[in-house]
Amino acid sequence: MQRYSLFSLARNALTGHRDWQAVWRSPPLGKRYDVVIVGAGGHGLATAYYLARNHDITRVAVLERGWLGGGNVARNTVTIRSNYLRDESIPFYVKSVSLYRDLSRELNFNLMFSQRSMIDVVQTYPRLRDIKRRMLNMDLHGASYEVLDVDELRRRIPALTGGGPRSRLPIIAGMAHRNAGVARHDAVAWGYARAADARGIELHQHTEVTGFERGGRGEITGVQTSRGTVQTNKVAICVSGHTRTLTDGLGLRLPLQSFNLTAFVSEPVKPLIDVVVNMPDSHCYLSQSDKGELVIGGGVDPGISFRRGIKEGVFEDTVTAVLEMFPALQRLKLLRQWGGTLDTASDSSPIVSRTDIPGLYVSAGWWGGFKAIPAGGLTLAHLIANDAPHPLIEPFSLNRFRSLDFVLETGTTAR
Amino acid sequence: MLLIPCPWCGARDEKEFENGGPARVPRPDPTAMTDEAWVDYLLIRPSHPGALRERWWHVHGCGQWFELWRDTVTHDFLDAPDER
Ligand SMILES: Cc1cc2nc3c(=O)[nH]c(=O)nc-3n(C[C@H](O)[C@H](O)[C@H](O)COP(=O)(O)OP(=O)(O)OC[C@H]3O[C@@H](n4cnc5c(N)ncnc54)[C@H](O)[C@@H]3O)c2cc1C
Ligand SMILES: [Zn+2]
């Protein structure tokens, strides 16, 4: 792998930047691999990287139906946080945030990770109670969450001039989650892809998995793709939002449903907001990108959805809520809007698990799964390599549903 | 799906409605079935691209619940299969 540094930048500048190596190779599709990963999103690529790095498994192909990093990894609002509710969840997300801290150096790729904190704007007492409960539990697991009074909240976010005492839902408090931050989404996909490729893993774009080959015991013996059949005894499904389009046909019964989550960005403006602002009672959140755009996330389309666009009603509601809190943004132009299909399990916790089909693994239910990419990849690679779960994901196996032993989570924003 | 056809009120703005999720099958008797089938009934809901029968609640209107077919990719409402 050609290392990126100030020195390599200078040297390549001298030759007019004509000699940079391709970031990853494009080898021909092989006949057989030790592991096939379906989906080159954040989770698939991170899993490939950790298979090679931690377990020396490199005869691996990542098969992607579109282009690498064109799914939700490129469509999310890049908030990385660990303010979860359950004893099972918090350590997993704490680990993921801590992996993000060193990842730029490890991958030799600038992820522009910035731990700038997330601040919740609280407008109702039930929400305050819920958040304080999280705070107590997070204290136990070494994640920080602290209460701010309204004056301190407004000092930290000067642009937050709405939500005063005469508004419909006056702001009553804030909560600061100092571990939270943002990273550049494309860089996470490209950084893992480049590092996995450097360790010998093959990345195949425009290769859709359409079915599976099974042996006499029902075990996986290969995958059918739009470019022919590939043999393998281990397949990991990392297709975020489309898991059941592959597993329903295998007779697996997964408690997942797909919804469309949406976001939009404004034109770039001078630095205005230097934290992630989460407004759970108003169902919206925003942060400012390094380019200066405000990245605004809203709610979910009503009903099951496989459409990747924003609905007018959701868009209108989100804009109204943002303007209520940040009236100064009124004349800001919005540049782009989009949506992404995500699946969520009936208890809102992820699934990283073996299945009833020998050789088939799934990583799914990633509602807020950008933050989870490093820990999700690390633990799925461990599961595939050892055929036994990593301690951090033991609670997230499919077995929990058999005994109705849920890990009930609730989102902090829309759901 | 900007307008939702309420069988009682006619086509109304979608903001007047709540989505109630996929239409449910009648609740079976848990004592007359295996645990596995019961868990299946509790947890597994339809979720696929294409036609889906769903419940809607006209909460800011007549207050009635009703069912409609919708395409989960285009979000267009569809005729029921026997009327298509
Ligand atoms: C609007 C929005 C905002 C979000 N905000 C946040 C946030 O702030 N913080 C956070 O942590 N998370 C957030 N998320 C969630 C996060 O983006 C996802 O949970 C995460 O990206 C999912 O994992 P992934 O990166 O592996 O998915 P993806 O990038 O979607 O990867 C899955 C890949 O599988 C491919 N695929 C599908 N089917 C097949 C097939 N049959 N064969 C081959 N390939 C296939 C797809 O093309 C896709 O590239 C947000 C999501 C959205 C949509
Ligand atoms: Zn009505």
Side-chain angles (χ1 to χ4, degrees):
Chain A
M1 182 171 87
Q2 189 180 31
R3 285 194 68 78
Y4 296 157
S5 65
L6 196 57
F7 177 68
S8 70
L9 188 64
R11 201 188 37 206
N12 278 284
L14 292 179
T15 53
H17 295 292
R18 277 184 302 267
D19 298 334
W20 289 107
Q21 268 174 24
V23 179
W24 53 77
R25 302 157 299 151
S26 299
L29 185 62
K31 289 258 171 297
R32 180 166 187 93
Y33 297 93
D34 292 340
V35 180
V36 165
I37 294 172
V38 190
H43 283 270
L45 293 166
T47 303
Y49 169 73
Y50 291 112
L51 274 173
R53 194 196 89 151
N54 295 355
H55 308 283
D56 257 331
I57 299 175
T58 56
R59 285 206 358 169
V60 178
V62 184
L63 308 184
E64 165 58 49
R65 73 170 169 194
W67 65 93
L68 186 154
N72 292 314
V73 70
R75 292 170 171 267
N76 69 87
T77 47
V78 303
T79 308
I80 295 166
R81 56 180 181 84
S82 54
N83 56 336
Y84 277 72
L85 188 60
R86 299 284 164 196
D87 289 333
E88 293 88 344
S89 318
I90 302 167
F92 176 86
Y93 291 102
V94 166
K95 175 74 175 176
S96 211
V97 173
S98 80
L99 287 169
Y100 261 119
R101 290 175 63 109
D102 294 325
L103 209 53
S104 292
R105 198 172 316 123
E106 180 176 336
L107 300 179
N108 180 235
F109 204 101
N110 188 359
L111 308 184
M112 298 167 85
F113 179 55
S114 148
Q115 245 172 336
R116 58 180 63 179
S117 0
M118 179 171 85
I119 296 186
D120 295 309
V121 177
V122 185
Q123 295 167 278
T124 63
Y125 285 95
R127 180 75 58 181
L128 188 60
R129 270 201 301 277
D130 165 69
I131 291 191
K132 282 188 171 168
R133 181 174 163 207
R134 279 172 201 258
M135 173 179 83
L136 296 174
N137 220 15
M138 283 163 61
D139 264 351
L140 296 175
H141 296 282
S144 79
Y145 217 16
E146 67 185 282
V147 187
L148 307 176
D149 63 28
V150 178
D151 289 343
E152 177 61 11
L153 175 70
R154 293 200 189 272
R155 192 188 68 74
R156 296 227 196 154
I157 315 168
L160 180 68
T161 56
R166 290 176 39 199
S167 62
R168 192 171 73 83
L169 284 179
I171 298 173
I172 55 174
M175 288 294 283
H177 176 31
R178 256 185 300 116
N179 316 93
V182 295
R184 182 176 172 216
H185 39 33
D186 292 332
V188 172
W190 298 339
Y192 272 121
R194 171 168 166 267
D197 171 87
R199 288 171 186 267
I201 282 169
E202 294 182 12
L203 311 170
H204 295 284
Q205 308 186 61
H206 305 293
T207 310
E208 177 169 11
V209 170
T210 51
F212 301 88
E213 305 271 310
R214 314 275 296 272
R217 291 180 300 117
E219 80 279 13
I220 293 288
T221 57
V223 291
Q224 296 147 2
T225 81
S226 51
R227 294 170 59 204
T229 302
V230 174
Q231 295 170 358
T232 183
N233 294 321
K234 290 188 172 186
V235 174
I237 296 181
C238 304
V239 297
S240 173
H242 296 88
T243 313
R244 281 182 55 183
T245 59
L246 288 173
T247 58
D248 279 4
L250 288 165
L252 290 174
R253 308 281 290 167
L254 300 189
L256 289 166
Q257 286 186 296
S258 293
F259 298 94
N260 177 45
L261 185 65
T262 56
F264 48 94
V265 295
S266 75
E267 60 186 323
V269 288
K270 292 252 166 74
L272 179 69
I273 295 165
D274 63 0
V275 294
V276 181
V277 185
N278 181 29
M279 294 162 279
D281 293 307
S282 298
H283 301 295
C284 60
Y285 59 97
L286 57 89
S287 63
Q288 191 169 15
S289 74
D290 293 331
K291 270 189 287 182
E293 303 158 321
L294 293 180
V295 182
I296 301 168
V300 193
D301 282 7
I304 305 279
S305 176
F306 288 83
R307 183 176 97 160
R308 300 198 292 192
I310 194 164
K311 283 205 52 68
E312 297 79 352
V314 174
F315 184 56
E316 218 172 80
D317 287 351
T318 311
V319 169
T320 311
V322 167
L323 291 186
E324 178 86 28
M325 309 298 271
F326 293 90
L329 304 184
Q330 248 182 63
R331 295 174 60 194
L332 210 58
K333 294 192 181 68
L334 298 176
L335 293 190
R336 298 188 300 281
Q337 83 269 348
W338 66 90
T341 308
L342 301 172
D343 51 26
T344 178
S346 50
D347 63 356
S348 303
S349 281
I351 295 171
V352 183
S353 182
R354 277 182 291 219
T355 63
D356 287 342
I357 296 175
L360 187 70
Y361 305 83
V362 302
S363 170
W366 294 113
W367 187 257
F370 178 69
K371 65 177 84 66
I373 287 170
L378 181 90
T379 52
L380 179 58
H382 178 106
L383 175 67
I384 295 168
N386 302 307
D387 213 23
H390 186 286
L392 281 175
I393 47 139
E394 240 175 302
F396 302 126
S397 89
L398 278 167
N399 283 333
R400 70 180 189 266
F401 299 107
R402 284 205 177 110
S403 41
L404 302 181
D405 195 7
F406 304 129
V407 186
L408 276 173
E409 266 299 342
T410 54
T412 55
T413 45
R415 301 195 104 242
Chain B
M1 182 171 114
L2 287 172
L3 294 175
I4 297 183
C6 172
W8 285 274
C9 312
R12 304 291 292 244
D13 190 321
E14 65 174 21
K15 283 192 176 177
E16 296 179 7
F17 298 82
E18 286 286 333
N19 180 285
R24 301 292 309 268
V25 293
R27 184 183 166 93
D29 173 5
T31 59
M33 62 201 304
T34 63
D35 284 356
E36 207 179 7
W38 174 238
V39 168
D40 201 88
Y41 163 76
L42 290 175
L43 299 186
I44 310 300
R45 301 276 185 280
S47 176
H48 54 259
L52 177 70
R53 187 174 169 203
E54 291 177 297
R55 282 157 45 87
W56 290 91
W57 182 22
H58 196 179
V59 54
H60 301 299
C62 64
Q64 297 275 13
W65 283 92
F66 57 93
E67 293 184 358
L68 282 177
W69 285 86
R70 182 177 63 94
D71 186 309
T72 60
V73 180
T74 62
H75 290 203
D76 291 336
F77 288 105
L78 308 169
D79 292 334
D82 48 341
E83 295 162 12
R84 252 175 252 156

